[in-house]
Amino acid sequence: MVLVKLKFRSLDFPVYIFFTILAFCKGIDLTKDSKIYIILYVVGIMLLTIRLFKQKYNLKQIFLIFIMMIISILVLLIGHNSTPLFFTIAVCSLKDTNLNKILKLIFYVHFVSFVTMIFLSSIGIIENHYILHMRNNIGLTKRYFFGYLHPNLVQTHLLSLIILYYYLYGKKNNYIISIFWFLFSFILFKFTYSRTSFVLSIMFIILFMITRNKPKLKKFIAFFGKYSFVILFVFTIFLSITYKSSNFTKKIDDILTGRIYYLNYVYTNYNVPIIGYSNYGEKIAIDNSYFSLLYQSGVAFTLIIFLLNLYIAKKKYDEKDYDFLIIMLFINLLCFTENLYLVPTINFLSLIMMSNIIKRLDKGECQNESNNINSNV
């Protein structure tokens, strides 16, 4: 694996502190139920807020940040959901920072904390819980948690690390590293039996290797990446509406182990807030980022995320940054099966997207950042 010395400007110190805290806490699966996590997170957000107000912005940047801030503050006041506000502060604080250094920091902190969790739970220092689960065509399986809240989260963390690694070091990647990630995913799968993230990991590794020398295939897949957020968002709504009336939807629900049933339950029993938060989250955990965005953050905030995705995807496709769009496709597929869109250290695409958009709004210039992908600082 490639090692890099990371040197930071003092002005950027709050950004690096925050993302180090967030990557570490998420890597060891600390949640909002942990007082340590809340304290560290609030301290990090305060540092980012101070930096945010010290930066200079032009009118277009101010307008974008203002709209996101106002809506996310309203979500907090009306729906008592702080996640959109904290997410907005985090992604809008990236102006004039070296994004690649931030992503490398996230990768190494996340990777070390993740491997530490696997190791400590494997040798018994952290209790390694398991559940027995009956799977079609497999039979009774024993699914290990490795210190996380659910076996699915273990494989999800690994998938995020794999995709981020290829974003950072794709050009220097060799077959030995790909074999390492493949074996790591396979061995972990034999303990977690988390099919979706495992399949996505293997598909991504194979696809990334195949498309390196096949530009036409890469462009074809990138086309789907360009519209992946829109397609998966609309598909999510379609599934939630048609669950009771469509055999096709029920077959999808079987593949996704009951996820669509819960989408339909929330759709049937709760209204979508324009701005705010639907309190279904107190009773049901929804494993779908698009549905959760809509019901937990409201239509207004979701619309902003929707439009920003469309904007940056179109720009990247026009600039022939097909690697970015393939990564966008797989991150969005991951978000289709997990509620992780507003977690920047897992959905690192949100950081890339906002950093890119803020730069493009700088003095009205459209800046091509295609060298970000696979670049080495």
Side-chain angles (χ1 to χ4, degrees):
M1 201 169 293
V2 183
L3 296 177
V4 176
K5 292 182 179 180
L6 299 177
K7 296 180 181 180
F8 308 131
R9 298 184 306 158
S10 58
L11 182 63
D12 300 336
F13 184 72
V15 180
Y16 299 118
I17 287 293
F18 173 78
F19 285 109
T20 298
I21 291 171
L22 191 59
F24 176 75
C25 289
K26 289 300 178 183
I28 63 173
D29 205 33
L30 288 182
T31 66
K32 62 182 180 181
D33 297 324
S34 168
K35 291 182 180 179
I36 296 174
Y37 172 68
I38 294 297
I39 292 171
L40 291 174
Y41 194 84
V42 170
V43 169
I45 285 293
M46 289 174 64
L47 290 172
L48 285 190
T49 304
I50 293 170
R51 185 187 188 280
L52 193 62
F53 283 100
K54 284 187 175 182
Q55 293 295 115
K56 294 181 179 179
Y57 302 91
N58 64 29
L59 287 177
K60 290 183 179 180
Q61 292 167 335
I62 291 172
F63 178 76
L64 173 62
I65 294 172
F66 177 78
I67 292 295
M68 292 186 70
M69 282 287 189
I70 289 297
I71 293 177
S72 58
I73 289 171
L74 288 174
V75 172
L76 173 62
L77 295 176
I78 297 172
H80 308 292
N81 179 16
S82 60
T83 302
L85 177 60
F86 290 163
F87 172 82
T88 299
I89 293 172
V91 297
C92 290
S93 68
L94 297 172
K95 186 177 185 293
D96 297 332
T97 59
N98 188 317
L99 182 61
N100 264 26
K101 287 183 178 179
I102 295 172
L103 293 176
K104 287 173 183 177
L105 183 67
I106 289 172
F107 174 79
Y108 288 113
V109 173
H110 190 182
F111 181 78
V112 170
S113 56
F114 175 72
V115 171
T116 301
M117 286 286 284
I118 300 296
F119 176 72
L120 293 180
S121 58
S122 297
I123 63 177
I125 294 179
I126 296 175
E127 189 172 359
N128 195 3
H129 297 286
Y130 67 86
I131 54 173
L132 297 176
H133 189 226
M134 184 63 70
R135 281 281 172 85
N136 294 335
N137 303 321
I138 297 178
L140 190 65
T141 59
K142 185 182 285 188
R143 306 184 66 192
Y144 288 90
F145 288 64
F146 289 104
Y148 290 86
L149 290 176
H150 195 278
N152 287 347
L153 279 177
V154 186
Q155 209 80 36
T156 295
H157 277 274
L158 181 57
L159 172 59
S160 174
L161 284 166
I162 291 172
I163 297 175
L164 181 51
Y165 172 82
Y166 279 93
Y167 175 84
L168 292 169
Y169 303 114
K171 278 190 176 179
K172 288 189 174 182
N173 177 65
N174 55 50
Y175 289 103
I176 295 176
I177 298 297
S178 294
I179 292 170
F180 164 78
W181 288 122
F182 180 90
L183 290 176
F184 196 172
S185 298
F186 179 76
I187 292 170
L188 205 59
F189 170 73
K190 299 304 290 183
F191 290 93
T192 65
Y193 284 95
S194 178
R195 296 176 300 181
T196 306
S197 293
F198 170 68
V199 171
L200 287 176
S201 298
I202 302 307
M203 285 177 60
F204 178 79
I205 294 169
I206 294 174
L207 202 58
F208 199 93
M209 298 303 293
I210 290 176
T211 56
R212 289 176 72 176
N213 300 314
K214 295 186 178 180
K216 289 184 179 180
L217 177 60
K218 181 180 288 189
K219 181 180 180 180
F220 177 75
I221 297 169
F223 178 80
F224 290 99
K226 176 183 177 182
Y227 296 106
S228 57
F229 186 94
V230 178
I231 293 170
L232 291 169
F233 184 91
V234 172
F235 190 49
T236 294
I237 303 304
F238 168 79
L239 292 174
S240 66
I241 294 172
T242 61
Y243 173 76
K244 292 180 180 179
S245 60
S246 170
N247 290 329
F248 167 77
T249 302
K250 289 181 179 178
K251 288 179 181 179
I252 297 294
D253 186 54
D254 289 338
I255 296 172
L256 297 177
T257 59
R259 286 178 170 90
I260 311 303
Y261 168 82
Y262 292 110
L263 298 185
N264 176 259
Y265 179 85
V266 173
Y267 168 78
T268 304
N269 294 281
Y270 297 88
N271 294 322
V272 180
I274 301 300
I275 294 176
Y277 178 82
S278 179
N279 64 354
Y280 77 86
E282 299 172 3
K283 302 175 183 178
I284 301 170
I286 294 295
D287 291 328
N288 183 294
S289 295
Y290 309 105
F291 201 82
S292 294
L293 264 176
L294 200 56
Y295 275 83
Q296 292 183 0
S297 301
V299 173
F301 190 80
T302 303
L303 181 61
I304 291 176
I305 299 297
F306 190 94
L307 293 175
L308 291 177
N309 266 275
L310 280 179
Y311 172 80
I312 200 63
K314 182 181 183 303
K315 291 294 184 182
K316 289 293 187 179
Y317 191 80
D318 291 343
E319 295 162 1
K320 300 182 180 180
D321 195 348
Y322 301 140
D323 287 322
F324 175 89
L325 292 167
I326 291 174
I327 285 175
M328 175 178 272
L329 171 62
F330 278 87
I331 288 291
N332 287 337
L333 284 170
L334 171 60
C335 288
F336 180 71
T337 61
E338 300 292 342
N339 180 17
L340 295 168
Y341 195 89
L342 297 183
V343 182
T345 52
I346 303 294
N347 176 21
F348 63 90
L349 194 73
S350 61
L351 301 179
I352 302 168
M353 180 178 73
M354 283 305 300
S355 175
N356 196 286
I357 289 173
I358 288 173
K359 283 187 177 182
R360 289 168 186 274
L361 294 176
D362 193 20
K363 297 179 182 179
E365 294 176 0
C366 179
Q367 300 182 21
N368 185 351
E369 290 191 5
S370 60
N371 61 323
N372 266 0
I373 213 120
N374 304 327
S375 66
N376 298 278
V377 177

